Amino acid sequence: MSALFNFQSLLLVILLLICTSTHVHQLFPAILDKNKDGLLGIFWKCARIGERLSPYISLCCVAMAVSIFFGN
């Protein structure tokens, strides 16, 4: 089943995208800062979400891990 048709998998993909973009932006800020527009701007926006909402994102990651561990 594709992640587009399973809501929990879609949320997992979005959380992983936000966390990965934030981590890459902390390591190499110039890569994402020069690509604020266009298709690569999605990663810059995800990095901003991860930086500004980091407590909520981390709580969502913990909740997703618990739900996957206990099997829905």
Side-chain angles (χ1 to χ4, degrees), residues 25-52:
H25 189 260
Q26 288 178 352
L27 292 178
F28 308 107
I31 292 175
L32 292 179
D33 285 341
K34 68 179 180 180
N35 295 318
K36 291 181 182 178
D37 297 325
L39 185 62
L40 294 176
I42 294 171
F43 300 111
W44 181 80
K45 290 173 187 171
C46 288
R48 287 290 167 213
I49 291 170
E51 290 171 355
R52 294 181 181 173

Side-chain angles (χ1 to χ4, degrees), residues 10-29:
L10 179 65
L11 286 178
L12 182 64
V13 168
I14 291 171
L15 281 173
L16 287 174
L17 179 67
I18 290 171
C19 293
T20 304
S21 297
T22 305
H23 185 69
V24 168
H25 189 260
Q26 288 178 352
L27 292 178
F28 308 107

